[in-house]
Amino acid sequence: MEKFSQFRDRGSGISPFMPSSAPTPSLLSTLSGPLLFLLRLPFFLLYTISYFFLLPLLPSPLRKLLLWGIFALTGTWWSDLQLDGVKRGSLSQQPPSRIPRGGTVIAANFTSPLDAVYLAAVWDCVFVQSFPGSRQVRRLSLWQAISLALSPRQLAGPPAGDNEKLTTIAQLLKEYPTRAIAVFPECATTNGKGILPLSPSLLTVPSSTQIFPLSLRYTPVDDTTPVPGGVKVWLSFLWKLLARPTHCVRIRIGEGLINTVGASNGVSHGESSGVDVRGRQEEGDGELTAEEQRLLDKVAETLARLGRAKRVGLTVEDKKNFVKAWEKRRR
């Protein structure tokens, strides 16, 4: 792995793009894995295809309920939910403002296709794709958000010459006032060991809206998908998902943060009426002010602390180069 040493963070030595090693299987799991996979696969495919085919017709409560069926079929369990700074056993005593809800923004780490499934099952989120160095985002369907974690599309920039597909988080909050907006500000998946530099898309969140950093960690650790690809990557993920008896999800939710940049100016990015938001954001995609950088740093630091990870200096451009080197190795 010496050829991949250039993709380690110089400060921490962490390689956030390297696939995590699979746990050593027992003899029983080695023998039962293929049988479990074959038993689950037809039910999983039928259930998932039916769900996404009927999705536009389903009301929000039913959509959320049926998504838990996908977790049940794959043996994925919500094992550990905790609010940052809140003692175990006292979650029910917390005020509604302490957890994400409609009209707020969830800034989640990005490690697996299961990220989007969990967020949709709990909050019925509106998903967006962020881009490095851009305040604009692209609205995603649930299926697009799931597949983004496995697709090389996560390494591409904003669609060139098609601003109609781009918007801002501020605009989406106006369009969907009763739903939470889910953002993956790292822009690309990692193995969960590092937090990449965040996209400035969060800077368009109005000062009246809370931003909740949210960390998801998985057991086994190789449920993460740091290397996107084609059919082989999809099949590999399906095998890991269906051939193992159980998977566990650990969720940590940080305290809601406020975009004080907008508050200090008396108006948040994207709140002015009668102004072309897309055009204004394109003009604002240059250097960040010190206060803007502080907000992104605070979100990144919270994500790192919640996920027991480290902030790294590697970028999406570094990941592009890593993927190219990884694909050459496999040929």
Side-chain angles (χ1 to χ4, degrees):
M1 295 297 175
E2 183 65 28
K3 64 182 294 185
F4 297 107
S5 60
Q6 61 180 308
F7 301 108
R8 289 184 178 274
D9 180 61
R10 292 183 179 179
S12 62
I14 289 173
S15 181
F17 311 133
M18 186 69 69
S20 299
S21 300
T24 303
S26 64
L27 178 60
L28 179 61
S29 61
T30 301
L31 297 175
S32 63
L35 178 61
L36 193 58
F37 178 82
L38 293 175
L39 285 174
R40 281 176 169 173
L41 183 62
F43 293 102
F44 175 79
L45 292 177
L46 179 62
Y47 189 96
T48 305
I49 292 171
S50 300
Y51 175 84
F52 284 103
F53 181 74
L54 297 174
L55 184 61
L57 307 176
L58 301 176
S60 175
L62 187 56
R63 286 201 302 266
K64 294 164 67 175
L65 179 63
L66 291 177
L67 277 174
W68 289 109
I70 294 178
F71 281 130
L73 283 171
T74 59
T76 304
W77 306 110
W78 168 14
S79 64
D80 186 11
L81 169 64
Q82 192 172 342
L83 302 183
D84 190 29
V86 175
K87 293 182 179 179
R88 293 180 183 274
S90 60
L91 293 180
S92 60
Q93 303 171 14
Q94 302 306 307
S97 61
R98 189 60 183 80
I99 60 174
R101 60 201 179 279
T104 62
V105 173
I106 299 172
N109 64 327
F110 196 18
T111 60
S112 168
L114 296 176
D115 297 341
V117 180
Y118 176 82
L119 294 175
V122 178
W123 289 286
D124 190 27
C125 299
V126 174
F127 292 95
V128 299
Q129 179 182 4
S130 293
F131 304 98
S134 176
R135 299 176 195 243
Q136 297 177 300
V137 296
R138 183 169 72 98
R139 166 80 197 281
L140 301 174
S141 66
L142 174 57
W143 173 250
Q144 288 173 326
I146 293 171
S147 62
L148 186 66
L150 294 166
S151 170
R153 242 182 25 253
Q154 62 181 257
L155 303 177
D162 194 357
N163 284 343
E164 291 304 315
K165 292 184 178 180
L166 300 176
T167 183
T168 63
I169 298 174
Q171 185 62 34
L172 289 172
L173 285 165
K174 292 179 182 179
E175 294 178 17
Y176 303 95
T178 61
R179 296 174 67 183
I181 309 297
V183 188
F184 300 113
E186 294 176 277
C187 305
T189 53
T190 69
N191 56 19
K193 297 177 182 178
I195 299 296
L196 306 183
L198 303 189
S199 164
S201 61
L202 290 173
L203 299 176
T204 69
V205 176
S207 58
S208 57
T209 300
Q210 289 179 295
I211 303 171
F212 287 93
L214 186 148
S215 170
L216 298 107
R217 295 178 66 195
Y218 300 95
T219 305
V221 293
D222 66 329
D223 281 348
T224 58
T225 57
V227 180
V231 176
K232 287 185 178 179
V233 172
W234 283 79
L235 292 177
S236 174
F237 179 73
L238 269 182
W239 169 259
K240 290 185 289 187
L241 192 63
L242 300 178
R244 292 170 177 163
T246 60
H247 308 262
C248 295
V249 189
R250 174 183 174 273
I251 304 98
R252 294 291 183 269
I253 304 175
E255 292 191 43
L257 304 176
I258 296 297
N259 182 5
T260 57
V261 179
S264 64
N265 295 331
V267 62
S268 293
H269 289 290
E271 286 190 316
S272 303
S273 58
V275 178
D276 183 353
V277 175
R278 294 188 181 93
R280 207 155 50 83
Q281 294 306 328
E282 286 176 353
E283 294 173 1
D285 280 347
E287 293 295 322
L288 304 180
T289 66
E291 193 170 0
E292 289 174 332
Q293 188 60 56
R294 275 195 296 270
L295 174 65
L296 297 182
D297 287 342
K298 193 165 186 178
V299 175
E301 287 165 5
T302 304
L303 285 174
R305 176 168 49 81
L306 295 176
R308 299 179 183 177
K310 297 287 187 181
R311 293 183 63 188
V312 297
L314 298 171
T315 65
V316 174
E317 193 62 36
D318 293 313
K319 179 168 181 176
K320 288 181 185 178
N321 295 329
F322 174 86
V323 171
K324 290 178 183 177
W326 185 261
E327 289 176 345
K328 288 179 182 178
R329 166 186 172 272
R330 294 173 64 90
R331 286 171 188 165

